[in-house]
């Protein structure tokens, strides 16, 4: 070995595996917080010091008598490290990981066989100090790959993460549904509290590093049975920096979506798509640096976004304008080396305005404007975090944050235009509409929802000999306030034909009145609250130098409250106990080979959507008037003429039979002592560094869910005839207790044995206990980035089966979390088999190559097998009760009629889930080329990326409804409903100084 390489290797340190090109994704990472750690071995009694290269912050510890040390709660970034009188060496601390650095007698790195030298740093190929399964990706790595600018695109780099083919989209982690994940930014939970299917976000250029957790996460994490995306934003340092970034994605750079037709030649329900387009442009400016050198730092960004999508159908067209901005900032105040305060604040508010026009497809001529619709979303968010190092062995952390979201839809005409419609009877009697009636463009209600999460966390780390004790608590109060009201004066006017002298509203239609107006006032919605708390304790016990045990437990509680303040559902700490056990064995003692495993239980709470559904009051009043003709007026938006009904004499009193006050007693709607959904997970894995560049890993995962919280049809309950078709929230297939108004007492029943009586035959039965299992084996091969090239390949075999997908139903496109159709009828949940998210084979490849200082290239490939095709019928044996054939309603049966379909004795054939084959494989190839200005001191880059290079527009979801009536097949069963997005391209130009 030559002298220079020897010196170089002595002057480098190991960094976390995730630093390399998303590194070996199966390698566990550690900690929920937005920090990392450094640990390893050195000479007993020596002092080890790390200094943050950007801020100058330093931390020191004394090596224990057994030769081990650890420095925790370090912000991610580059550090220099000194041991004793040794020379400073470079180390990078990654998000949620522990950088293992074993130092020799002269202060150099001792475990050289397990590392690779990259410039002045050493890459640690295997992280032996944690038991999680996660993928880490930094902004520098993403700049080398064709990864679109979204958090979801980053998550898709991890094995086992798939973009769902559901009509409502989302990501599925390890066979779970899209409503079971959580997203954190700088430790603040930003997941949608209403349906748990979205999250707040910041611009892509605002992020510094991502960690995608796919399993085995520690006791700090809860309220999820899917996966976790943990991200941190950029921070300022002692040097002033700034930059500009512009993204160009014109519609001319995207391939057209295909127009889809059914096999019978009819146009797909989504109408035309080949003339749709989604041009997108954005530009940001950022700056960072010290406000007070070594003490107070700032990073700030402003971004302007412009998106003008168009949706052109056969007879109508919608043109949308979305011209929004984002602001965000991060302050870091290092009071001294032991105490740090961080403030993150950002706003992701967005507004859109959509204009609706008549359109002629054959002539491609845009007609007159019909009206406008508007939407708004997002909100202001912030978090304040304090970290205190009170001794070398004790660290405390406190965070308080607020996450706001909104979803508002309406129209600029809402203030001045009420809804005006006509009944079919009026058209039959007086003829069709000629002049537009009413000026509202959509005749739809104003819907709004405002969500707010207040989060508080306390986390502690205490090192006691061989034990690293981590414990803490977190609390989240999640409020959702929704409402639906009519526009204009809050009343919807419908003109109806009438017969003089006919009965109406407890009286009669006056003489001479041939038409009346039904003026309906409708208001619904509610403020609801979910208060959640959790305590956790975790002992990371170094049994030996090479064996780490992770022993943890987490307890949760929650309380969902109605608009009236009454309880909807609640659970105490004793009801949600989550043990977490893991181990990591450094087989050779040098960090090159690891066997690891973990077992844990994970609970998921109820959403605010469920409470809102039951907890809101409704005003539904009808006032009837004699119709005295039409008055012509001028549309305040389009300037065109329209007609408005003239109200005559009122007919009878206001009918308020539809009014429903906000409930304060839900004992008949929610089971007493409702038990919460949990998932048990088991992972066993192996990782090895083949040499200084290459490593590989293999692991096996098993997940199991055996409980659900759902609305269940109860139409037969012994001892309580009151339940004759209600849908209370219970634990299906288990013992439940509901309030019986007939007896004024509680009634306890086994839902696996009773609850349903068939129509016609009177057969009585219960519901199957829910079950979902996920089995997977993952193999991954990784070649670390060495400033020239990198490569990663993974293959995942998995099987997801059971009788319930989760809290949503992707088969039939029903997205209301915990309110889907799995228990609308026993037929829906009697079938065990492959589930919607059963993508049996997944292959992911990604790599990057630097040709020279000017040109570099990246590529990604992901391909997966298609999901199963399952048929849903409309009848069950010996039961006349049907299922709606609509795609989004009514559940469905596995029994299909083949004979005598009009009678109760119809002949039915049972079909399993997935009995009609599978959809085709879905393949996506990305490629990019990056040009860098080869002038020292000027950081100017241009990256051109192509996504879905082959323009594959493969079907990813199909019609699953098989029959309209027993024995009458629907014509489009098994034909597409959702397709892969077509090829598109973008150019990102960055300049930094």
């Amino acid at each position: 070995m030559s002298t220079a390489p020897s010196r170089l290797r002595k002057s480098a340190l190991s960094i976390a595996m995730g630093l390399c090109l998303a590194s070996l994704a199966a390698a566990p990472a550690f900690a929920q917080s937005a920090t990392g750690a450094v640990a390893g071995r050195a000479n007993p009694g020596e002092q080890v010091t790390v200094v943050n290269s950007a801020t100058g912050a330093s931390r020191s510890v004394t090596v224990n008598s057994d030769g081990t040390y650890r420095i925790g709660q370090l912000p991610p970034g580059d550090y220099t490290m000194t041991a004793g009188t040794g020379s400073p060496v470079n180390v990078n601390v990654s998000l949620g990981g522990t950088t293992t650095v074993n130092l020799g007698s002269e202060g150099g790195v001792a475990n050289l066989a397990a590392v690779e030298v990259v410039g002045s740093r050493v890459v640690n190929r295997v992280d032996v100090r944690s038991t999680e399964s996660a993928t880490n990706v930094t902004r520098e790595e993403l700049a080398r790959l064709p990864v679109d600018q979204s958090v979801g695109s980053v998550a898709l780099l991890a094995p086992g993460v798939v973009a769902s083919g559901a009509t409502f989209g989302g990501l599925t982690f390890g066979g779970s549904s899209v409503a079971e994940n959580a997203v954190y930014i700088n430790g603040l939970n930003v997941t949608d509290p209403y349906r748990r299917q979205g999250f707040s976000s910041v611009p892509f250029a605002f992020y510094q590093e991502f960690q995608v957790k796919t399993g085995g996460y520690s006791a700090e994490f809860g309220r999820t049975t899917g996966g976790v995306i943990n991200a941190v934003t950029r921070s300022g340092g002692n040097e002033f920096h700034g930059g500009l970034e512009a993204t160009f994605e014109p519609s001319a750079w995207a391939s057209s979506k295909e127009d889809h037709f059914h096999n019978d030649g009819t146009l797909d329900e989504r109408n035309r798509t080949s003339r749709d387009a989604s041009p997108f442009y954005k530009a940001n400016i950022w700056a960072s640096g010290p406000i007070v050198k070594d003490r107070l730092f700032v990073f700030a960004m402003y971004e302007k976004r412009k998106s003008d999508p168009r949706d052109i159908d056969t007879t109508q067209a919608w043109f949308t304008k979305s011209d929004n901005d984002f602001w965000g900032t991060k302050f870091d105040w290092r009071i001294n080396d032991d105490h740090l305060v961080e403030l993150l604040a950002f706003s992701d508010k967005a507004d859109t305005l959509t204009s609706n026009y008549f359109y002629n497809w054959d002539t491609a001529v845009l007609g007159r404007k019909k009206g406008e619709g508007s939407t708004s979303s997002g909100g202001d968010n912030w978090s304040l975090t304090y970290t205190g190092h009170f001794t070398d062995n004790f660290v405390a952390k406190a965070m308080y944050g607020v996450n706001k979201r909104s979803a508002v839809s309406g129209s600029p005409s809402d203030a001045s235009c009420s809804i005006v419609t006509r009944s079919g009877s009026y058209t039959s009697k007086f003829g069709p509409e000629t002049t537009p009636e009413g000026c509202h463009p959509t005749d739809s209600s104003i819907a709004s929802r405002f969500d707010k999460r207040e989060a508080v966390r306390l986390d502690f780390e205490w090192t006691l000999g061989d034990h690293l004790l981590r414990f803490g608590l977190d609390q989240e109060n999640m409020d959702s306030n929704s409402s639906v009201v009519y526009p204009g004066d809050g009343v919807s006017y419908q003109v109806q034909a009438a017969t003089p002298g006919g009965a109406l509203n407890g009286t009669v239609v006056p003489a001479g009145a041939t038409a009346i107006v039904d003026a309906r006032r409708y208001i619904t919605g509610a403020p609801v609250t979910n208060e959640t708390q959790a305590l956790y304790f975790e002992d990371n016990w170094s049994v030996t130098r090479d064996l780490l045990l992770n022993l943890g437990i987490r307890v949760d509680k929650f309380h969902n409250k109605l608009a009236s303040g009454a309880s909807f559902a609640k659970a105490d700490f004793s009801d949600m106990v989550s043990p977490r056990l893991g181990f990591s064995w450094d087989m050779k003692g040098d960090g090159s080979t690891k066997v690891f495993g973990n077992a844990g239980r994970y609970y998921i709470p109820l959403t605010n959507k469920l409470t809102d559904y039951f907890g809101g009051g409704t005003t539904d009043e009808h006032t009837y008037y004699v119709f005295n003709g039409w008055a012509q007026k001028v549309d305040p938006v389009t300037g065109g003429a329209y007609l408005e009904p003239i109200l005559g004499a009122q007919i009878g009193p206001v009918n308020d039979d539809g009014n429903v006050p906000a409930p304060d007693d839900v004992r008949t709607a929610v089971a007493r002592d409702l038990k919460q959904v949990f998932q048990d997970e088991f992972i066993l894995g192996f990782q090895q560094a083949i040499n200084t560049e290459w490593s590989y890993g293999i692991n096996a995962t098993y997940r199991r869910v055996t409980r659900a919280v759902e609305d269940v049809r109860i139409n037969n309950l012994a001892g309580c005839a009151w339940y004759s078709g209600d849908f209370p929230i219970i634990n299906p297939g288990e013992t439940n207790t509901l309030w019986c108004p007939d007896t004024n007492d509680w009634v306890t029943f086994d839902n696996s044995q009773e609850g349903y009586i068939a129509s016609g035959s009177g057969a009585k039965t219960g519901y199957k206990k829910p079950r979902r299992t996920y089995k997977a084996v993952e193999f991954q091969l990784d070649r670390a980035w060495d400033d020239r090239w990198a490569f990663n390949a993974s293959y995942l075999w998995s099987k997801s089966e059971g009788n319930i997908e989760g809290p949503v139903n992707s088969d039939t496109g029903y997205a209301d979390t915990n309110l889907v159709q799995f228990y609308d009828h026993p037929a829906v949940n009697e079938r065990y088999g492959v589930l919607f998210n059963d993508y049996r084979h997944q292959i992911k490849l990604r790599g990057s190559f630097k040709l020279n200082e000017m040109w570099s290239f990246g590529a990604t490939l992901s391909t997966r097998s298609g999901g199963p095709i399952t048929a849903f019928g409309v009848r069950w044996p010996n039961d006349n009760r049907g299922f709606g054939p609509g795609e989004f309603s009514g559940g469905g049966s596995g029994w299909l009629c083949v004979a005598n379909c009009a009678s109760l004795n119809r002949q039915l054939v049972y079909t399993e889930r997935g009995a009609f084959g599978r959809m085709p494989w879905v393949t996506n190839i990305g490629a990019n080329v990056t040009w860098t200005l080869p002038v020292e001191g000027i950081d100017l880059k241009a990256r051109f990326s192509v996504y879905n290079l082959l323009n594959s527009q493969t079907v990813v979801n199909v019609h699953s409804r098989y029959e309209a009536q027993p024995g009458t097949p629907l014509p489009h069963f098994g034909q597409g409903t959702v397709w892969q997005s077509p090829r598109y391209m973008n150019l990102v130009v960055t300049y930094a100084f």
Side-chain angles (χ1 to χ4, degrees):
M1 182 180 296
S2 64
T3 304
S6 177
R7 286 197 301 267
L8 178 60
R9 296 180 74 174
K10 280 191 174 185
S11 67
L13 287 179
S14 305
I15 64 174
M17 175 184 112
L19 183 64
C20 309
L21 184 60
S23 198
L24 187 61
F30 181 67
Q32 174 272 337
S33 61
T35 58
V38 177
R41 303 173 191 165
N43 298 324
E46 229 172 25
Q47 188 176 62
V48 177
T49 301
V50 294
V51 179
N52 188 295
S53 302
T55 66
S58 67
R59 294 292 310 149
S60 298
V61 296
T62 301
V63 180
N64 299 322
S65 59
D66 63 354
T68 62
Y69 72 92
R70 183 180 185 277
I71 306 176
Q73 293 292 342
L74 297 174
D78 291 325
Y79 290 78
T80 58
M81 181 174 181
T82 304
T85 59
S87 301
V89 289
N90 298 324
V91 61
N92 181 276
V93 174
S94 64
L95 172 62
T98 299
T99 301
T100 300
V101 183
N102 295 337
L103 301 173
S105 58
E106 298 179 11
V109 179
N111 53 331
L112 293 177
V115 300
E116 177 202 9
V117 177
V118 181
S120 62
R121 298 179 300 181
V122 175
V123 175
N124 188 199
R125 308 302 302 125
V126 177
D127 184 356
V128 298
R129 294 183 173 272
S130 54
T131 62
E132 294 181 341
S133 295
T135 297
N136 277 57
V137 193
T138 65
R139 56 181 281 102
E140 292 79 12
E141 296 166 294
L142 291 170
R144 300 194 294 264
L145 292 169
V147 176
D148 201 7
Q149 298 182 358
S150 70
V151 174
S153 296
V154 177
L156 288 171
L157 294 175
V161 182
V162 178
S164 172
T167 53
F168 42 84
L171 297 176
T172 168
F173 285 66
S176 63
S177 75
V178 301
E180 300 175 56
N181 307 319
V183 179
Y184 294 83
I185 299 178
N186 287 12
L188 175 66
N189 189 352
V190 294
T191 314
D192 168 30
Y194 192 72
R195 281 192 176 92
R196 205 168 43 236
Q197 294 176 42
F199 52 87
S200 304
S201 189
V202 301
F204 207 60
F206 200 76
Y207 288 109
Q208 175 59 38
E209 188 171 353
F210 301 87
Q211 185 184 52
V212 183
K213 297 175 182 285
T214 52
Y217 27 94
S218 69
E220 277 180 296
F221 278 100
R223 308 186 186 112
T224 168
T225 48
V228 174
I229 300 174
N230 190 26
V232 291
T233 62
R234 298 165 70 180
S235 297
N238 269 329
E239 294 183 0
F240 286 102
H241 293 281
L244 306 168
E245 180 180 272
T247 300
F248 305 88
E249 198 171 297
S251 56
W253 292 3
S255 298
S256 298
K257 294 181 180 179
E258 298 171 353
D259 285 328
H260 296 285
F261 296 85
H262 300 127
N263 294 345
D264 60 8
T266 58
L267 185 63
D268 175 72
E269 292 85 351
R270 277 137 292 275
N271 213 295
R272 299 280 185 170
T273 55
S274 60
R275 295 179 188 173
D276 298 351
S278 299
F280 176 64
Y281 303 90
K282 67 178 181 178
N284 65 61
I285 181 171
W286 62 270
S288 69
I291 298 176
V292 179
K293 188 176 177 61
D294 292 334
R295 287 289 177 259
L296 183 59
F297 314 94
V298 64
F299 178 91
M301 174 180 287
Y302 172 80
E303 181 170 277
K304 189 70 175 178
R305 309 163 180 170
K306 181 176 177 59
S307 177
D308 298 325
R310 64 173 186 261
D311 178 3
I312 299 178
D313 289 350
T314 306
T315 60
Q316 295 187 71
W318 291 264
F319 289 79
T320 298
K321 290 190 177 297
S322 179
D323 194 4
N324 294 290
D325 56 4
F326 164 92
W327 63 263
T329 187
K330 170 86 183 303
F331 289 94
D332 294 86
W333 177 26
R334 186 164 66 89
I335 303 172
N336 54 43
D337 285 344
D338 293 325
H339 301 278
L340 172 67
V341 176
E342 302 167 79
L343 173 65
L344 169 71
F346 68 90
S347 174
D348 62 347
K349 293 180 179 178
D351 300 297
T352 66
L353 180 66
T354 300
S355 299
N356 182 208
Y357 300 87
F358 287 103
Y359 184 77
N360 187 305
W361 181 267
D362 294 331
T363 62
V365 173
L366 199 66
R368 71 172 178 85
K369 190 174 185 178
K370 296 183 64 178
E372 294 179 334
S374 61
T375 64
S376 62
S377 62
D380 295 330
N381 307 267
W382 64 273
S383 66
L384 185 68
T385 305
Y386 162 78
T387 304
H389 297 259
F390 292 94
T391 69
D392 288 350
N393 298 323
F394 187 79
V395 183
K397 191 167 192 173
M399 187 209 74
Y400 174 79
V402 174
N403 166 228
K404 291 184 178 181
R405 295 171 55 85
S406 62
V408 180
S409 62
S411 166
S413 302
D414 286 340
S416 53
C417 293
S418 298
I419 295 175
V420 176
T421 61
R422 53 161 58 198
S423 69
S425 64
Y426 184 86
T427 299
S428 298
K429 190 171 185 177
F430 297 101
E433 176 187 53
T434 53
T435 303
E437 295 165 1
C439 61
H440 199 276
T442 63
D443 286 339
S444 58
S445 301
I446 305 169
S448 64
R449 192 184 78 246
F450 299 92
D451 303 315
K452 179 182 178 182
R453 171 189 281 106
E454 289 186 88
V456 179
R457 286 194 64 94
L458 291 174
D459 299 279
F460 304 92
E461 288 189 2
W462 190 12
T463 303
L464 290 175
D466 296 330
H467 299 267
L468 170 62
L469 306 179
R470 306 179 67 249
F471 51 96
L473 61 91
D474 78 85
Q475 176 176 300
E476 293 183 354
N477 291 338
M478 293 168 283
D479 300 323
S480 293
N481 193 347
S482 64
S483 68
V484 176
V485 300
Y486 285 142
D489 59 2
V491 177
S492 172
Y493 300 91
Q494 184 177 74
V495 184
Q496 305 170 355
T499 301
L504 176 67
N505 194 31
T507 182
V508 296
V509 177
T514 57
I516 57 100
V517 178
D518 177 1
R520 182 187 186 190
R521 181 179 301 276
Y522 181 84
I523 305 171
T524 189
V528 297
T529 298
N530 185 8
E531 298 174 350
T532 65
Q533 291 178 317
L535 303 170
Y536 75 90
F537 176 85
E538 185 175 87
D539 180 7
N540 292 273
W541 178 21
S542 298
V543 182
T544 70
R545 285 190 171 191
D546 303 324
L547 178 62
L548 172 73
L549 293 184
N550 179 276
L551 310 173
I553 190 167
R554 177 187 176 95
V555 292
D556 284 85
K557 65 182 296 187
F558 74 89
H559 189 184
N560 288 80
K561 295 181 181 180
L562 302 171
S564 62
S567 292
F568 176 77
K570 64 190 304 184
D572 293 324
F573 287 130
S574 59
D575 301 321
M576 304 172 73
V577 180
S578 305
R580 310 281 174 86
L581 307 173
F583 76 93
S584 176
W585 177 29
D586 184 358
M587 296 178 65
K588 297 182 179 180
D590 61 357
S592 66
T593 307
K594 179 177 77 167
V595 174
F596 71 97
N598 52 68
R601 174 164 289 186
Y602 303 83
Y603 277 90
I604 194 165
L606 304 179
T607 60
N608 280 356
K609 168 62 186 177
L610 186 61
T611 315
D612 182 24
Y613 181 81
F614 284 88
T618 299
T619 298
D620 191 358
E621 300 173 344
H622 293 260
T623 306
Y624 298 91
Y625 300 90
V626 173
F627 174 61
N628 281 351
W630 297 98
Q632 182 167 313
K633 296 192 174 184
V634 177
D635 191 314
V637 175
T638 66
Y642 76 95
L643 302 179
E644 188 173 276
I646 301 173
L647 305 183
Q650 182 173 323
I651 306 173
V654 175
N655 186 331
D656 59 4
D657 291 346
N659 288 352
V660 179
D664 55 12
D665 185 349
V666 291
R667 291 177 296 177
T668 61
V670 186
R672 185 179 69 179
D673 300 327
L674 187 73
K675 297 181 287 293
Q676 300 312 302
V677 178
F678 64 88
Q679 176 171 265
D680 290 327
E681 180 186 70
F682 306 89
I683 298 176
L684 183 64
F686 171 82
Q687 296 169 346
Q688 183 175 39
I690 302 172
N691 54 36
T692 56
E693 292 88 16
W694 291 89
S695 61
Y696 76 96
I698 185 170
N699 68 65
T701 300
Y702 176 74
R703 287 178 158 188
R704 180 182 63 203
V705 175
T706 56
R707 179 175 291 161
V709 171
E710 274 292 343
D711 61 322
V712 180
R713 182 197 295 267
I714 302 295
N715 63 358
N716 180 66
L717 202 56
C720 189
W722 186 89
Y723 288 93
S724 58
D726 302 87
F727 289 82
I729 300 297
I730 67 172
N731 296 122
E734 299 186 39
T735 298
N736 292 267
T737 300
L738 289 168
W739 181 257
C740 181
D742 292 345
T743 62
N744 202 34
D745 198 2
W746 295 100
V747 56
T748 300
F749 64 101
D750 183 353
N751 188 236
S752 68
Q753 302 297 319
E754 65 172 319
Y756 182 78
I757 183 170
S759 174
S761 69
K764 299 177 181 179
T765 186
Y767 291 83
K768 297 291 185 183
K769 187 177 178 66
R771 184 179 180 186
R772 184 185 77 195
T773 62
Y774 174 78
K775 306 168 187 175
V777 177
E778 173 194 321
F779 176 81
Q780 192 165 174
L781 179 68
D782 186 83
R783 203 278 184 184
W785 174 254
D786 62 353
D787 204 36
R788 188 62 184 269
W789 72 286
F791 175 75
N792 181 277
S794 67
Y795 167 74
L796 181 78
W797 175 93
S798 64
K799 188 175 184 179
S800 181
E801 54 188 345
N803 65 342
I804 181 170
E805 176 192 356
V808 297
N809 188 355
S810 300
D811 279 305
T812 56
Y814 212 87
D816 280 344
T817 309
N818 294 122
L819 286 168
V820 292
Q821 316 100 320
F822 291 120
Y823 288 92
D824 285 6
H825 191 285
V828 186
N829 57 85
E830 71 173 347
R831 286 193 290 180
Y832 288 91
V834 291
L835 296 171
F836 182 86
N837 295 317
D838 179 51
Y839 306 116
R840 194 61 53 85
H841 305 279
Q842 300 174 42
I843 300 172
K844 296 184 179 182
L845 308 175
R846 56 186 182 271
S848 52
F849 172 71
K850 187 167 94 172
L851 179 65
N852 52 40
E853 295 303 317
M854 182 182 293
W855 297 101
S856 59
F857 306 88
T860 60
L861 179 147
S862 67
T863 182
R864 64 163 175 84
S865 55
I869 300 176
T870 299
F872 292 91
V874 293
R875 288 295 188 275
W876 200 39
N878 300 314
D879 192 358
N880 268 331
R881 186 169 285 109
F883 302 89
E887 202 68 37
F888 303 100
S889 64
S893 169
W895 296 85
L896 310 177
C897 189
V898 295
N900 302 321
C901 297
S903 69
L904 184 61
N905 296 322
R906 60 184 64 90
Q907 183 179 343
L908 301 173
V909 175
Y910 177 76
T911 63
E912 297 181 347
R913 289 181 176 271
F916 287 79
R918 287 183 174 269
M919 287 169 268
W921 280 65
V922 179
T923 300
N924 198 322
I925 298 175
N928 72 335
V929 56
T930 302
W931 171 83
T932 302
L933 180 67
V935 177
E936 187 175 352
I938 301 180
D939 186 3
L940 177 64
K941 300 179 186 294
R943 183 175 70 252
F944 184 76
S945 302
V946 183
Y947 308 94
N948 192 4
L949 181 66
L950 302 182
N951 194 28
S952 303
Q953 299 189 38
T954 306
V955 62
V956 295
N957 201 351
V958 297
H959 289 280
S960 58
R961 299 292 186 183
Y962 187 84
E963 297 171 310
Q965 294 295 329
T968 306
L970 287 165
H972 306 144
F973 168 75
Q975 299 176 41
T977 59
V978 181
W979 291 264
Q980 187 180 1
S981 297
R983 175 177 55 230
Y984 65 101
M985 313 172 197
N986 63 26
L987 175 67
V988 180
V989 180
T990 61
Y991 171 65
F993 55 89

